[in-house]
Amino acid sequence: MKRKIANKKSLILIIIIGFIFVTLAGRLAFLQLVQTQRYQGLAQNNLIRIIPITAPRGEIRDRNGELLVDNQPVYTLSLSFLGVSEQKQRQVEKLVANILARDKNVGRDVSWWTDEIKKSLEKQARPFEPVKVAIDVSWETVVQVRERQMELPGVIVEEEPIRNYPQGELLTHVLGYVREIKEEQLKEHEGYRMGDLYGQAGLENAFESYLRGEKGARQIEVDAYGRPVDYRGVKEPVPGDNLTLTIDYRLQKAAEEALASGIKRAQKNGFKEAKGGAVVVLDVRTGAVLAMASYPSYDPSVFVDMLSVKEWEKMQQTRALSNRALGSYAPGSIFKMVTATAILENDVVDPSYSISDPGYYILGRRYNDWKPGGHGRVNLREAIKVSCNTYFFKFGRAVGHKEIARYAHEYGLGQKTGIELPGEQAGVVPTPEYKYNTSKAVLMRYDKEFQKVTDKYDQLIAQAKQANNEEKVQRLKKERDNEIESLLAAHSFDLEWQAFDTLNMSIGQGYNWYTPLQMANYVATIANGGELLRPYIVKKITGPDGETKKSFGPKVRRQVNVSPETIKIVQEGMRMVTEPGGTAYWSFRDFPLTVAAKTGSAEVLNHDTHSQFVTYTPYEKPEIAVAAVVEYGGHGSDSAGPITREIMDAYVQITRGEEFGKQNLNKTNNAGIQSNPPPQENIVEQEATFPDSQAQQAQPGTGESTPQIEEGSPPDSASQTSITEPGTEGEPGNDPPSSEQSTDGLANGPEVLQQEDMQAEEQP
């Protein structure tokens, strides 16, 4: 009986074993006969590895061919799957960390490199796919790694191109910088992998698809441990396309030097908060950007290697990464040409009609002019010249905020210019709706009554949600909204547009909020007779072979709906600003070309005013316009005016030669002698300019009306400008160009300034 049971068990065991063998044999046959091609491909993929080769990014040059950005070969150190025991791998990592810690180019302490190597290997997607650990290692490090290669399996030293900036910090905010691609960018753009470089700002970002080039690849054969045993072939990378800009290197350098020295001068003169500013220079005939400067700047090469936390924090504190030329500021009195246009186009008053300015305007209470005692009798041209607030209060109120806003839009304010650079702000043309929404946001955030209501209902709504009582949630929200509306009704005076808002708007205060680029383009539009152009900064794109792929030129957005007569009167008023008695006379009294200008001082709550200045030259046949702003730099003639003068001196020297200015000093357009310096434009007293409600229209979250270039929400600030009396028209400053000069007049000597489009820049 026992034998039968044993035999039965043996039979069952034999059947099971037989079934297993049959199954294995069937599976083996299936793999070898049916899926041969698939597994051959997988085996081949494990045998052959494709190692990408970085393509050199395209070069960037100025309009005359001056090199601004190129590439330089550097050694990089990468790690891959080592194919060794964990203990051996740790030894290799420690050895690499010690070598890099002694590197004079990338040296940091051993612990830092140990952590960095660990993080890098954790990012490794596939074995033997190199992960970059260090960039721009020294030749000594390269020698050490190669000498000890047997001790360093999986450690690779290669030569790769990285960004090189031969001009240092020059034009940094326009050029931008490159860094390793971010995760969100990786999801949005195809053809990239983690570790690839990507343009993060400026032109590097805007023209990334052109500049990046096409990667190459190296095909290698590896053994079972992933170590290379043979090279199969190489596909060479294709360099990126090159950019030629409208920027003139010489003028850009002059603008940056003038801005930096002007801000330091402002600090020395007592404006301790003057630590930032911007300049824009445009060709009024074409819209080309000839110079764009923002201060403080930064060294873009710091992003090539690993940026330290300390360096990053400093950039954030100074807002050095922000291109202030594209950020918004209250314009101050440089806005008065808009108000003048609205007055003239609506026939509010004849431009020759004079009023007596007592130095204040009465609207329920007294609104002071910047000059105690007033300017005497002034007409429209003289009001621009002496920046008479009383005149613009009176007739700005008469024409109304809607018409002022209409002509602000006509001049392109409150809307992006369309320049190729990322990060441009649209600015704000004041409207009742904007005031209501901004004031409401401030009340909701800072007023204790509103906070009490929102806190109460936030708690009740949260409890209702926890109880899954949707009906109660909706009822509570409705009750909350009703209570808030009741509170808002009690603040209707603060929320609704008042007559004093029109007064503030008419002199560029209150809710006006524009970028230096917009102000430059606005003045360029006045200068060229009403043609609103799209500013542009890239002249052409060429391939690695030098063939032009794409060209850019002047583009007219529209002819502004302003009569030639009105524009002519505004031009004449601006011209008078630089003549004897004008607020800009002392800045341009000996300038060899005729100049039209406007000074501005934008009040900032509890701070010094922003110094602003806009100008164009020559007056009779304009070529360039300039706009400048110095944050907390005082009056327009204090800081921004001298900066503009230095830039325009450089322009004259570039286009007409150094001797031109000397020969024309006695024929200057601003001829005349003034025994005493012109009066400084003063700011309207805070209490006279802002009702309490409006003074609280500070930027949400700051409590002060400081321009938040990165944030974008314009604060409420008051600004003022002053102008000078008319003087005699001087000699035209546009002498015929020499034979070496280009038709646009921007050439002098062997370096012909191919000024395809230079546009004037406003100085806020």
Side-chain angles (χ1 to χ4, degrees):
M1 184 68 181
K2 291 182 179 180
R3 180 177 292 179
K4 288 182 178 181
I5 293 173
N7 289 339
K8 187 175 181 180
K9 288 182 178 180
S10 298
L11 180 61
I12 292 173
L13 182 61
I14 291 171
I15 292 173
I16 292 173
I17 293 172
F19 178 77
I20 291 173
F21 274 109
V22 170
T23 302
L24 291 175
R27 180 61 179 169
L28 181 61
F30 175 76
L31 294 176
Q32 290 183 336
L33 300 177
V34 179
Q35 293 195 318
T36 302
Q37 292 184 348
R38 178 192 174 197
Y39 286 99
Q40 279 181 343
L42 292 174
Q44 186 71 11
N45 288 338
N46 288 329
L47 176 67
I48 304 299
R49 298 292 169 80
I50 305 298
I51 306 302
I53 303 175
T54 304
R57 290 177 71 87
E59 296 179 348
I60 304 178
R61 296 177 181 270
D62 87 332
R63 65 191 304 123
N64 299 313
E66 187 75 31
L67 185 63
L68 302 174
V69 186
D70 66 349
N71 305 284
Q72 67 176 13
V74 298
Y75 289 104
T76 63
L77 188 147
S78 303
L79 298 178
S80 65
F81 178 73
L82 304 180
V84 295
S85 66
E86 184 174 344
Q87 181 181 0
K88 177 63 176 175
Q89 181 165 319
R90 296 291 171 262
Q91 291 176 356
V92 172
E93 292 174 9
K94 184 177 180 181
L95 181 55
V96 171
N98 277 281
I99 291 173
L100 291 175
R102 295 193 297 269
D103 191 296
K104 62 183 180 182
N105 290 354
V106 298
R108 288 184 172 92
D109 58 50
V110 175
S111 61
W112 189 93
W113 279 114
T114 301
D115 292 340
E116 187 65 23
I117 291 169
K118 183 178 179 181
K119 293 176 185 176
S120 299
L121 289 174
E122 288 174 354
K123 296 178 183 178
Q124 200 170 29
R126 292 181 58 193
F128 195 68
E129 210 168 74
V131 176
K132 210 167 292 178
V133 173
I135 300 173
D136 194 17
V137 298
S138 66
W139 174 247
E140 290 76 13
T141 294
V142 175
V143 172
Q144 287 186 64
V145 171
R146 289 178 176 173
E147 285 180 346
R148 308 177 71 171
Q149 195 68 66
M150 295 300 294
E151 303 174 61
L152 299 170
V155 180
I156 304 168
V157 175
E158 293 182 303
E159 190 176 79
E160 292 185 14
I162 64 168
R163 262 335 204 187
N164 178 50
Y165 304 90
Q167 310 300 342
E169 296 185 9
L170 189 80
L171 201 64
T172 293
H173 294 93
V174 170
L175 298 173
Y177 61 91
V178 295
R179 290 197 78 180
E180 183 176 328
I181 192 169
K182 301 174 183 176
E183 289 187 16
E184 57 269 25
Q185 293 169 335
L186 195 62
K187 295 175 182 178
E188 295 173 1
H189 304 283
E190 296 181 357
Y192 293 89
R193 60 196 304 170
M194 189 56 69
D196 285 350
L197 295 179
Y198 190 89
Q200 301 294 343
L203 294 173
E204 293 278 18
N205 175 267
F207 289 84
E208 167 69 19
S209 60
Y210 291 98
L211 291 168
R212 64 175 294 203
E214 183 180 336
K215 285 183 182 178
R218 183 180 293 111
Q219 191 179 54
I220 63 173
E221 181 179 342
V222 298
D223 60 16
Y225 294 99
R227 295 175 296 198
V229 296
D230 190 20
Y231 289 90
R232 294 291 188 91
V234 175
K235 177 188 175 185
E236 296 295 338
V238 179
D241 296 327
N242 305 313
L243 303 183
T244 299
L245 308 185
T246 60
I247 294 291
D248 183 272
Y249 162 79
R250 298 163 294 178
L251 193 61
Q252 178 69 30
K253 185 177 181 181
E256 294 197 15
E257 290 175 352
L259 182 61
S261 63
I263 289 174
K264 291 177 182 177
R265 186 167 54 243
Q267 293 174 353
K268 187 177 179 180
N269 291 339
F271 300 105
K272 302 301 183 183
E273 293 181 291
K275 297 179 180 179
V279 167
V280 178
V281 183
L282 300 178
D283 186 325
V284 305
R285 300 159 296 187
T286 61
V289 179
L290 297 179
M292 180 181 287
S294 179
Y295 184 91
S297 187
Y298 62 93
D299 182 0
S301 63
V302 300
F303 292 100
V304 172
D305 198 1
M306 294 154 187
L307 185 67
S308 69
V309 174
K310 186 177 180 180
E311 289 173 319
W312 177 254
E313 288 178 348
K314 182 180 179 181
M315 289 181 181
Q316 293 299 303
Q317 290 170 0
T318 61
R319 300 204 323 273
L321 294 176
S322 299
N323 186 350
R324 284 167 161 82
L326 305 181
S328 300
Y329 296 89
S333 290
I334 59 177
F335 182 80
K336 286 177 178 174
M337 288 84 79
V338 173
T339 306
T341 300
I343 292 169
L344 292 171
E345 288 295 287
N346 285 275
D347 295 324
V348 172
V349 65
D350 188 277
S352 61
Y353 178 78
S354 298
I355 66 166
S356 179
D357 170 26
Y360 57 87
Y361 180 77
I362 300 295
L363 178 64
R365 61 176 182 175
R366 177 170 168 154
Y367 290 84
N368 292 329
D369 191 278
W370 66 266
K371 183 179 181 181
H375 301 276
R377 298 200 65 83
V378 292
N379 59 27
L380 187 140
R381 292 177 181 85
E382 292 163 342
I384 294 176
K385 172 185 177 178
V386 298
S387 202
C388 178
N389 289 331
T390 304
Y391 185 96
F392 288 99
F393 283 152
K394 179 180 179 67
F395 295 113
R397 182 189 174 200
V399 74
H401 68 87
K402 290 183 180 179
E403 286 300 302
I404 297 175
R406 173 188 170 190
Y407 287 100
H409 286 299
E410 278 294 324
Y411 284 123
L413 302 181
Q415 53 197 274
K416 294 183 179 181
T417 65
I419 197 168
E420 307 95 317
L421 296 172
E424 181 186 13
Q425 294 185 1
V428 175
V429 174
T431 63
E433 294 76 21
Y434 179 81
K435 179 190 177 180
Y436 183 90
N437 292 332
T438 304
S439 301
K440 178 181 176 181
V442 172
L443 288 171
M444 292 290 291
R445 183 163 185 173
Y446 298 108
D447 189 278
K448 292 182 179 180
E449 290 182 280
F450 286 87
Q451 290 178 352
K452 184 177 179 181
V453 171
T454 54
D455 289 346
K456 179 183 75 173
Y457 280 97
D458 284 347
Q459 184 176 1
L460 294 174
I461 290 172
Q463 293 173 354
K465 286 182 177 180
Q466 288 180 349
N468 293 322
N469 191 337
E470 185 61 28
E471 183 179 348
K472 187 176 181 180
V473 168
Q474 296 303 319
R475 177 173 56 80
L476 289 170
K477 285 182 177 180
K478 189 174 181 179
E479 291 177 4
R480 178 198 60 192
D481 293 344
N482 288 336
E483 284 195 38
I484 289 175
E485 287 300 321
S486 298
L487 290 175
L488 289 173
H491 289 269
S492 60
F493 183 84
D494 298 330
L495 295 164
E496 295 172 0
W497 190 271
Q498 306 296 336
F500 61 75
D501 290 314
T502 303
L503 301 189
N504 283 326
M505 181 182 182
S506 67
I507 60 171
Q509 301 177 168
Y511 300 96
N512 288 290
W513 199 247
Y514 312 114
T515 70
L517 177 62
Q518 286 176 328
M519 300 310 292
N521 206 32
Y522 142 67
V523 171
T525 303
I526 293 172
N528 67 30
E531 201 170 57
L532 182 63
L533 298 164
R534 179 188 65 83
Y536 69 104
I537 206 163
V538 176
K539 185 176 180 180
K540 63 180 178 179
I541 301 173
T542 56
D545 57 359
E547 182 179 351
T548 299
K549 289 189 171 182
K550 200 169 185 179
S551 296
F552 305 90
K555 184 176 180 181
V556 179
R557 292 168 61 187
R558 64 176 176 271
Q559 184 71 31
V560 297
N561 188 20
V562 178
S563 69
E565 293 77 16
T566 291
I567 290 179
K568 181 62 176 174
I569 292 169
V570 171
Q571 290 174 340
E572 290 168 354
M574 292 182 67
R575 174 71 181 91
M576 292 161 66
V577 174
T578 63
E579 295 176 341
T583 54
Y585 167 70
W586 281 87
S587 293
F588 290 93
R589 64 190 182 280
D590 57 353
F591 190 68
L593 300 179
T594 50
V595 181
K598 186 70 186 76
T599 55
S601 305
E603 185 172 309
V604 184
L605 186 63
N606 299 325
H607 294 276
D608 288 322
T609 59
H610 292 327
S611 175
Q612 311 201 42
F613 200 94
V614 293
T615 184
Y616 67 86
T617 191
Y619 172 71
E620 296 82 4
K621 193 176 180 181
E623 296 173 12
I624 66 164
V626 184
V629 58
V630 175
E631 296 172 5
Y632 314 118
H635 307 297
S637 56
D638 286 337
S639 303
I643 290 171
T644 305
R645 171 59 193 267
E646 290 180 32
I647 295 168
M648 293 174 71
D649 283 339
Y651 175 78
V652 169
Q653 184 174 343
I654 292 169
T655 60
R656 290 161 172 82
E658 188 173 353
E659 293 301 316
F660 176 85
K662 296 177 182 178
Q663 295 170 1
N664 287 270
L665 282 180
N666 294 327
K667 300 188 297 180
T668 177
N669 63 306
N670 301 316
I673 298 176
Q674 186 167 316
S675 57
N676 298 316
Q680 291 283 353
E681 51 180 336
N682 298 307
I683 301 305
V684 177
E685 298 174 6
Q686 178 71 27
E687 61 272 17
T689 302
F690 290 111
D692 292 341
S693 60
Q694 189 180 4
Q696 296 301 318
Q697 293 290 345
Q699 181 169 358
T702 65
E704 62 183 22
S705 52
T706 305
Q708 299 296 312
I709 293 176
E710 298 178 71
E711 299 287 332
S713 177
D716 181 22
S717 61
S719 57
Q720 296 263 346
T721 55
S722 74
I723 309 182
T724 61
E725 294 184 14
T728 58
E729 281 193 15
E731 295 274 335
N734 50 340
D735 287 358
S738 67
S739 58
E740 293 178 310
Q741 232 173 342
S742 61
T743 56
D744 57 16
L746 287 183
N748 185 60
E751 288 184 283
V752 177
L753 211 150
Q754 302 165 0
Q755 182 170 336
E756 157 184 305
D757 14 347
M758 288 183 65
Q759 204 164 11
E761 145 186 43
E762 308 182 355
Q763 295 183 324

